[in-house]
Amino acid sequence: MDGMTSSALARLAFWAKGMVSINDARMEWPGFSYTDAEWARMRTLSEPIGVGTYQLFTIVNAVIFIIIAAVGIFGAFLPLATLLFPVPADTSALKFSSLLAACTFLIIGLGLPISMRLSAMLVGGETMRAALVSAPGDEALASKVSWQINRIMMILCGLLEPGILLFIAYDIEAGPIITALKWLAIALMAVSTVTGFRRQRKS
């Protein structure tokens, strides 16, 4: 079984379904690259999952994660912020942004795997699981996906979120260079979307 349980294999299959859909649209998700063999395996894993089933999975996953995030915010972030920073006016932007980034990382790092696990259990029925057969390399592929998700979270929570908060808190002027890079990034995203749409229509 390559060390993969049926539940873990179902989660990998749902992930594969989403990535295959992106790949079929001739688009790429930065930070999530795979070899030809891994793409072939993900296509095989995604075959038993219908479009409706995958859409239901995404909805259930979103609802569960929102609930987990709400619990994290009201049960962890706000109590810690109140305890550590009793006087908001005296709270430095660095301390506040660091706490928010740490809580966000924990909420996503713990909440996303839990929501995906529960969603796969609720949506992935016996028929779908029976159609999934583990193969050598599945455990390594699942570990790679997990690392990719954690890497993106570390980048977002460790750099992007605190940076944005500090820019806002200190009213930092981005300047013409940063502004130009921002609009360049927006333009590149637009070009990528249009190109992917055109390629999808041609295929």
Side-chain angles (χ1 to χ4, degrees), residues 2-203:
D2 190 41
M4 294 285 288
T5 64
S6 60
S7 178
L9 192 61
R11 292 196 301 274
L12 181 60
F14 277 116
W15 176 267
K17 183 68 174 181
M19 297 307 298
V20 166
S21 298
I22 294 173
N23 185 255
D24 287 343
R26 303 296 193 274
M27 294 186 293
E28 294 183 1
W29 202 351
F32 296 88
S33 60
Y34 303 97
T35 64
D36 291 341
E38 289 169 340
W39 276 120
R41 179 54 184 159
M42 286 198 294
R43 289 187 179 279
T44 300
L45 286 170
S46 67
E47 287 177 356
I49 304 176
V51 176
T53 301
Y54 180 71
Q55 290 177 343
L56 179 61
F57 169 80
T58 58
I59 294 172
V60 173
N61 184 52
V63 171
I64 294 176
F65 179 76
I66 290 173
I67 294 173
I68 294 174
V71 172
I73 292 172
F74 293 101
F77 173 72
L78 290 180
L80 284 174
T82 303
L83 177 64
L84 296 175
F85 315 126
V87 183
D90 296 336
T91 303
S92 69
L94 179 60
K95 292 179 180 179
F96 180 81
S97 61
S98 297
L99 174 63
L100 181 58
C103 289
T104 301
F105 181 79
L106 289 177
I107 290 172
I108 299 177
L110 297 177
L112 185 58
I114 292 174
S115 66
M116 291 184 65
R117 182 186 296 269
L118 293 177
S119 301
M121 290 175 55
L122 294 172
V123 179
E126 293 296 330
T127 302
M128 190 201 82
R129 294 191 182 212
L132 297 174
V133 180
S134 181
D138 284 351
E139 191 171 9
L141 180 57
S143 297
K144 180 177 181 177
V145 169
S146 179
W147 159 243
Q148 289 175 332
I149 295 174
N150 290 332
R151 180 180 59 191
I152 293 298
M153 285 192 304
M154 286 188 287
I155 293 173
L156 292 177
C157 298
L159 297 176
L160 182 59
E161 182 179 285
I164 292 174
L165 288 173
L166 290 175
F167 263 68
I168 295 173
Y170 289 110
D171 194 22
I172 298 175
E173 293 293 336
I177 296 178
I178 299 300
T179 302
L181 290 175
K182 179 187 72 173
W183 286 109
L184 177 61
I186 294 174
L188 289 175
M189 291 176 62
V191 171
S192 176
T193 302
V194 172
T195 302
F197 178 73
R198 288 180 176 177
R199 289 179 178 178
Q200 185 179 19
R201 293 186 63 183
K202 291 180 180 179
S203 60

